[in-house]
Amino acid sequence: MSGFASLRLAFSAAILGALLCAPQAFAQSAAAPAQTITLGPSGLPLPRFVSLKPARVNSRVGPGANYSVNWMYLKAGLPMEVIQEFDTWRRVRDADGSEGWINQSLLSGRRTAIVAPWQRGKGGQVNLLDEPDKDAGVIAIIEPGVIGSIKKCDGQWCEMTFDGHTGWMAQSQVWGAYPGEKFKN
């Protein structure tokens, strides 16, 4: 058998092997979790959602009080996504995508969410329902951009409180809980 013929035979065997193994590889990748959990230096997962404790918080360009302020947040309970940690500083992202560094003492583990911030100013509304079911009764109609407290999320629905009204909202309609995330606040 010539060198070229044996090369073709080896190449054909490799392709056949890849085709036979492809369904197994696909099944393994489909069973893998959607998001891998990475722990930061604090031992807490990254990324994760938190909220602002005080009503006035400076976001800085770097992890320290000597860095200049790039944003000033004026709303206690505003949800933020922690994306990085350095010492006592947390790099956070807000619902609009702005990033900066905030000291951990100004952040709370209490979960809040903003209703459909991507629909602000477009005239849409989101229903707060009395059960986690799209056909459930409406308790309140919430405008995009309103902040509420999350009591729990089951992966598809979040039980939330808005100004004393507690009900259920589709998890896909809030910024403050990851798709498919399950937790109790």
Side-chain angles (χ1 to χ4, degrees), residues 7 21 27-28 45-46 74-75 83-84 99 108 142 175 178:
L7 182 62
C21 293
Q28 287 173 350
L46 288 177
L74 302 173
K75 178 74 176 162
I83 56 175
Q84 189 178 353
E99 295 181 6
S108 168
I142 311 293
W175 190 87
Y178 296 109

Side-chain angles (χ1 to χ4, degrees), residues 41-111:
S42 68
L44 297 172
L46 288 177
R48 68 180 179 276
F49 281 104
V50 296
S51 60
L52 298 181
K53 279 184 190 175
R56 184 175 180 267
V57 175
N58 289 332
S59 170
R60 299 182 177 275
V61 297
N66 293 332
Y67 287 92
S68 62
V69 173
N70 61 347
W71 286 102
M72 182 185 300
Y73 294 101
L74 302 173
K75 178 74 176 162
L78 185 69
M80 304 294 272
E81 183 180 30
V82 176
I83 56 175
Q84 189 178 353
E85 297 178 345
F86 177 77
D87 195 24
T88 60
W89 292 85
R90 305 297 179 255
R91 186 172 183 193
V92 297
R93 179 182 302 131
D94 66 19
D96 295 324
S98 298
E99 295 181 6
W101 291 86
I102 296 177
N103 190 279
Q104 70 178 9
S105 66
L106 303 173
L107 301 172
S108 168
R110 187 174 75 90
R111 298 289 293 267

Side-chain angles (χ1 to χ4, degrees), residues 83-153:
I83 56 175
Q84 189 178 353
E85 297 178 345
F86 177 77
D87 195 24
T88 60
W89 292 85
R90 305 297 179 255
R91 186 172 183 193
V92 297
R93 179 182 302 131
D94 66 19
D96 295 324
S98 298
E99 295 181 6
W101 291 86
I102 296 177
N103 190 279
Q104 70 178 9
S105 66
L106 303 173
L107 301 172
S108 168
R110 187 174 75 90
R111 298 289 293 267
T112 62
I114 299 178
V115 176
W118 51 89
Q119 292 182 356
R120 272 187 285 215
K122 296 180 182 174
Q125 296 176 329
V126 180
N127 292 335
L128 185 65
L129 306 172
D130 61 5
E131 295 177 31
D133 183 331
K134 64 180 177 63
D135 297 323
V138 176
I139 293 173
I141 298 172
I142 311 293
E143 290 189 24
V146 173
I147 299 172
S149 294
I150 301 176
K151 293 179 87 173
K152 65 182 173 185
C153 291

